[in-house]
Amino acid sequence: MNLSFDFSFYNWDLISNFILKGLYFSVMLTVVATLGGIFFGTLLAMMRLSGRKWLVVPATIYVDGMRSIPLVMVILWFFLLVPMIIGQPIGAEMSAVITFIAFEATYFSEIMRAGIQSVPRGQMSAGQALGMTYGQNMRLIVLPQAFRNMLPVLLTQTIILFQDTSLVYAIGAYDMLKGFEVAGKNYGRPIEAFVAAAVVYFVICYTLSHLVKRLHKRIAIIH
Amino acid sequence: MAWDWQMFCEDTLDRTVREGCFGTGGDITYLDWMLSAWGWTVSVSLLALLLALVTGVVIGTLRTLPDSKWIVRFGNGWVEIFRNIPLLVQIFLWYHVVPAVFPAMKSMSGFTLVVLALGFFTSARIAEQVRSGIQALPRGQRYAGMAVGFTTWQTYRYVLLPNAFRIIIPPLTSETMNIFKNSSVAFAVSVTELTMFAMQAQEETGRGIEVYMAVTGLYIVSAFTINRIMTFIEKRVRVPGLVAPGAAGGH
């Protein structure tokens, strides 16, 4: 076994020049894709639960289609198609943001669908009895409870999303992994760079998933 | 915008259209290349699945052993490590770091290393499902095994595992489909599977849409086939009355 790693080249300059820049993009992408994904995912979930065929069919095809192809392929598709559609080139970073919102919306929609179905039917009926419209019912009664029930799952999905952001490697966007890779190349220490990347990803994801577990215990509603 | 599917019949070297779409005498067309790339995707996925099933079942079972704190901790640690590092980073670790640390592994091909990476990555998810499958069984089953004088090994072999496997087939189905999707990450270390083919053929021919459509189609066909096979297995082994706990998410 050969364990002669040398991490001494990790000084503050390197970290701030290469890695923080990438970390910033990874975190930004995660946050934007989570918010956008939950928004569009909730819309997709409501379409699928609406019972109207012209809403159910397109939403189902979109969700199932996206979920059956690899994220890397989706990233490549968007990187190819978006500039064709809008008629001008966009950067890898912008393309990644659009891709992740569109892709993660399908995963969040499955979570929200389960969340909406977890709210007892009586709640909806009670709202109707008070004369609330469908929109009011959803916004004031069903969705707040659905979010609460699904919060741990939504957060777990966000952690998976954060890990998935490393796949923007396929189109050369500058995320945290890329930051480590470039730093490793520039200093001639690629092996240490990948080890450090793994450690940083692990610490972030492990800590977050631990927090989610604690939150889960705290907010669980006992039925 | 006109589609040009003829590019699949072109020779990959001189870009001339070949009669019958397949290359002859050592030359290959893009169609040949794509089919062999599909073969690589299927081989990586199936071998990784085999590794993941064996490792995942062992680790998942270890995590449910009674009165063995350290073994359970080892199993939990295994799952945490492989679950909390992105797959792409794990692939880089296997490809760049592991051979540097263990010189004996320098001769391993990228293909083998990707199978190891994908297999161990998935083993953590399967271990999690095996554990929850075993823990979802009524406690009485374990006691019944003990009551008839089974050893721990026999209790698992004859009582707990056969029941747990049937419970976890639906989540295993989605894990199997995930392996096929995740195998696409192998592009990063130059294994010529479907995604790598898509990127290179797109670059060489400029026919991105046609190439991506064909590749996406093959991924969907693969996913659909797996789904059918697993549904068939599930029907064949079903025990009436046993239902699965909620399936886990993931990509």
Side-chain angles (χ1 to χ4, degrees):
Chain A
M1 238 169 98
N2 167 26
L3 278 175
S4 55
F5 290 137
D6 175 13
F7 288 98
S8 60
F9 69 101
Y10 273 93
N11 56 37
W12 176 248
D13 271 357
L14 176 151
I15 293 173
S16 64
N17 286 343
F18 295 103
I19 290 151
L20 285 185
K21 180 185 162 203
L23 175 66
Y24 170 76
F25 177 70
S26 295
V27 171
M28 190 278 290
L29 181 55
T30 308
V31 171
V32 173
T34 303
L35 296 178
I38 290 180
F39 177 76
F40 290 108
T42 308
L43 287 184
L44 283 170
M46 283 163 62
M47 284 168 76
R48 289 188 74 175
L49 293 170
S50 67
R52 293 192 183 88
K53 214 172 171 191
W54 59 277
L55 288 175
V56 175
V57 173
T60 309
I61 291 176
Y62 180 72
V63 171
D64 289 352
M66 277 287 193
R67 284 166 58 98
S68 60
I69 45 180
L71 175 54
V72 184
M73 279 312 296
V74 181
I75 292 174
L76 292 177
W77 264 117
F78 273 74
F79 194 52
L80 180 77
L81 283 183
V82 174
M84 275 186 192
I85 292 168
I86 62 172
Q88 56 185 27
I90 57 167
E93 279 79 13
M94 193 59 212
S95 174
V97 169
I98 299 172
T99 311
F100 271 77
I101 293 176
F103 181 79
E104 295 296 334
T106 63
Y107 282 83
F108 283 118
S109 91
E110 289 295 273
I111 298 171
M112 285 314 295
R113 194 156 68 105
I116 293 172
Q117 284 174 327
S118 76
V119 178
R121 266 175 190 273
Q123 300 275 337
M124 190 77 159
S125 314
Q128 281 167 348
L130 290 172
M132 284 185 174
T133 63
Y134 177 80
Q136 286 175 320
N137 238 328
M138 270 293 167
R139 191 163 52 84
L140 298 170
I141 297 187
V142 178
L143 287 182
Q145 297 186 68
F147 272 118
R148 188 191 166 106
N149 290 347
M150 286 296 127
L151 191 59
V153 192
L154 289 171
L155 292 174
T156 305
Q157 182 62 35
T158 304
I159 299 172
I160 297 174
L161 203 173
F162 176 68
Q163 294 192 17
D164 283 345
T165 58
S166 60
L167 295 178
V168 298
Y169 184 87
I171 53 173
Y174 198 103
D175 73 322
M176 184 163 77
L177 178 58
K178 184 84 175 175
F180 274 107
E181 201 204 13
V182 172
K185 259 187 198 142
N186 285 4
Y187 287 75
R189 291 257 161 215
I191 292 172
E192 283 85 347
F194 287 125
V195 173
V199 171
V200 173
Y201 272 109
F202 178 81
V203 169
I204 295 177
C205 297
Y206 181 77
T207 316
L208 289 178
S209 65
H210 230 74
L211 290 176
V212 173
K213 248 182 226 162
R214 281 180 53 182
L215 178 81
H216 188 41
K217 275 187 193 143
R218 192 180 254 202
I219 67 161
I221 302 171
I222 297 145
H223 287 290
Chain B
M1 186 177 50
W3 281 346
D4 171 23
W5 294 100
Q6 211 177 30
M7 57 130 302
F8 280 104
C9 303
E10 285 173 10
D11 189 286
T12 51
L13 291 178
D14 55 20
R15 303 287 307 275
T16 52
V17 174
R18 287 302 163 112
E19 196 89 11
C21 243
F22 288 103
T24 44
D27 296 336
I28 61 166
T29 61
Y30 282 99
L31 184 66
D32 290 317
W33 186 8
M34 183 171 72
L35 292 178
S36 102
W38 193 20
W40 283 109
T41 290
V42 173
S43 338
V44 167
S45 307
L46 290 184
L47 287 173
L49 177 66
L50 192 66
L51 176 64
L53 277 177
V54 173
T55 325
V57 167
V58 171
I59 300 281
T61 309
L62 290 182
R63 294 175 74 198
T64 64
L65 287 180
D67 313 318
S68 0
K69 217 160 87 189
W70 283 103
I71 295 182
V72 173
R73 275 191 193 152
F74 166 76
N76 293 346
W78 178 281
V79 170
E80 293 296 348
I81 284 184
F82 286 105
R83 264 214 318 199
N84 285 314
I85 299 175
L87 175 58
L88 182 57
V89 178
Q90 291 192 30
I91 285 187
F92 282 144
L93 284 184
W94 282 96
Y95 195 73
H96 296 289
V97 180
V98 171
V101 176
F102 302 99
M105 292 175 80
K106 277 218 169 83
S107 56
M108 280 190 175
S109 62
F111 173 80
T112 317
L113 292 168
V114 164
V115 167
L116 290 173
L118 188 55
F120 283 129
F121 172 81
T122 312
S123 80
R125 296 148 154 273
I126 290 182
E128 187 65 7
Q129 277 148 12
V130 171
R131 180 192 61 86
S132 66
I134 294 175
Q135 287 176 345
L137 296 172
R139 235 163 244 255
Q141 296 208 356
R142 189 188 288 272
Y143 297 149
M146 285 154 76
V148 294
F150 279 175
T151 60
T152 304
W153 159 251
Q154 286 172 320
T155 311
Y156 274 94
R157 165 70 184 80
Y158 297 108
V159 183
L160 297 178
L161 287 179
N163 280 324
F165 279 138
R166 291 175 165 94
I167 291 186
I168 63 168
I169 286 181
L172 277 188
T173 306
S174 59
E175 242 7 280
T176 311
M177 290 160 79
N178 281 341
I179 278 206
F180 269 81
K181 287 191 280 172
N182 286 335
S183 72
S184 63
V185 179
F187 81 86
V189 292
S190 310
V191 173
T192 47
E193 43 69 67
L194 278 174
T195 302
M196 181 85 194
F197 162 78
M199 294 169 93
Q200 291 201 337
Q202 193 270 129
E203 205 143 281
E204 288 176 18
T205 64
R207 289 273 153 210
I209 295 188
E210 291 85 345
V211 172
Y212 288 2
M213 273 184 140
V215 168
T216 305
L218 287 181
Y219 273 117
I220 292 176
V221 168
S222 315
F224 185 76
T225 313
I226 302 285
N227 194 297
R228 292 293 95 192
I229 295 174
M230 293 297 278
T231 313
F232 174 75
I233 296 177
E234 190 187 347
K235 277 197 183 127
R236 284 296 295 272
V237 302
R238 178 153 46 203
V239 177
L242 267 180
V243 258
H251 286 173

